[in-house]
Amino acid sequence: MDPWQTLTTDYEQSRARDDSLDQLMEWDAQRSLIGPVEGRTVLDIGCGNGEKTIELVHEHGAASAVGVDVGAQFLTPPEGTDVTLVPGDLSTLDEIDALNGRRFDVVLFLQSLAYARNRGRTLRAVRSLIADDGVLVVSMAHPIRWAVERSARDGIALGDAYHTVGPYSYPSRWNPDITITHTTDTFSSIHNALTDNGFRVEHVLEPQLSDENKQRFPHKQEWLSEHVGIIIFRARPA
């Protein structure tokens, strides 16, 4: 069984905390690169419980949205909201019937792309699903984050840890009884995965806390000072 079929509830509870970085800065930063969605169609890959997918339609005016997640522990969209939430593995998007023949104006990977077993296959599938003038937004843990953790855990130099690209396994922070495995990256490996599979990067963002939130949540700023946070890529079909 995929660990996310068990972890989804723990993850969403953690993300909903008032002091979660998602609440404090990440979603605002992601929205800034997504841009206006009014009247547009959205595909949210690795959507968790679907909260953000629903918000983009119900509050921000997207015409419709499809959310895909292997956990399949979805919220119920408000009545009249054109949101479809379907179980599915981002590693095999080309096998999800609900996506067959569809094209989307906006495609999102919000903290999910690192879990693809074959990133090239996943991105090529997305290239076939995105409109020619569409927007792809990829939000990931910053490569320095995993380099810092791997350096401390394995007793290797930070630079060596940064360049150790590949599978990385560790006990989940939301449920330590479950082991998570995903790919770690360098900045260039993320960028090149996008450009090698049919996209051109047009903007990159590395969000940080506002001055107000640095004062309100010093424990979060302490963590960010060491681990940097997330990195967000906005790309277009090449």
Side-chain angles (χ1 to χ4, degrees):
M1 183 173 68
D2 190 288
W4 283 101
Q5 291 176 305
T6 303
L7 280 176
T8 297
T9 297
D10 297 317
Y11 170 75
E12 294 294 353
Q13 288 175 346
S14 176
R15 189 179 66 80
R17 289 166 51 106
D18 289 342
D19 67 345
S20 80
L21 290 175
D22 187 76
Q23 297 284 336
L24 295 177
M25 68 175 198
E26 292 177 359
W27 181 223
D28 285 344
Q30 291 159 357
R31 283 278 298 116
S32 74
L33 287 198
I34 293 168
V37 296
E38 187 173 358
R40 312 193 80 191
T41 56
V42 177
L43 172 60
D44 187 356
I45 303 170
C47 67
N49 65 7
E51 180 182 11
K52 292 179 178 179
T53 321
I54 294 168
E55 180 182 325
L56 290 173
V57 176
H58 188 60
E59 299 182 22
H60 300 290
S64 65
V66 175
V68 176
D69 196 87
V70 72
Q73 298 178 31
F74 301 127
L75 300 174
T76 300
E79 187 175 350
T81 302
D82 191 355
V83 175
T84 303
L85 302 173
V86 297
D89 189 334
L90 58 82
S91 294
T92 54
L93 293 173
D94 46 5
E95 298 178 6
I96 298 175
D97 291 341
L99 302 181
N100 286 344
R102 298 287 302 271
R103 299 290 293 277
F104 296 89
D105 300 312
V106 179
V107 179
L108 309 175
F109 288 101
L110 305 183
Q111 311 303 105
S112 59
L113 183 59
Y115 296 94
R117 292 187 295 275
N118 182 328
R119 187 174 297 177
R121 175 182 174 177
T122 294
L123 287 172
R124 288 190 296 274
V126 167
R127 181 62 185 86
S128 71
L129 291 166
I130 194 169
D132 290 339
D133 61 348
V135 173
L136 172 65
V137 174
V138 177
S139 176
M140 304 178 74
H142 200 287
I144 290 177
R145 171 184 175 175
W146 304 122
V148 169
E149 292 192 7
R150 180 174 267 159
S151 174
R153 186 189 71 175
D154 298 344
I156 60 178
L158 182 61
D160 292 335
Y162 175 74
H163 287 287
T164 306
V165 171
Y168 181 59
S169 299
Y170 56 91
S172 163
R173 292 161 184 78
W174 310 293
N175 183 338
D177 293 330
I178 297 176
T179 296
I180 292 178
T181 299
H182 59 72
T183 298
T184 58
D185 288 279
T186 60
F187 179 92
S188 59
S189 70
I190 305 170
H191 179 276
N192 293 342
L194 294 169
T195 58
D196 290 348
N197 290 286
F199 295 93
R200 56 179 175 83
V201 175
E202 65 177 20
H203 199 80
V204 183
L205 186 62
E206 298 167 288
Q208 291 291 286
L209 290 176
S210 66
D211 289 341
E212 177 184 354
N213 282 334
K214 288 177 182 178
Q215 297 297 318
R216 292 180 61 204
F217 303 98
H219 62 297
K220 290 299 184 180
Q221 181 54 43
E222 181 180 2
W223 186 89
L224 283 170
S225 294
E226 183 175 5
H227 295 92
V228 181
I230 64 170
I231 188 167
I232 313 171
F233 294 78
R234 175 184 167 104
R236 298 272 191 177

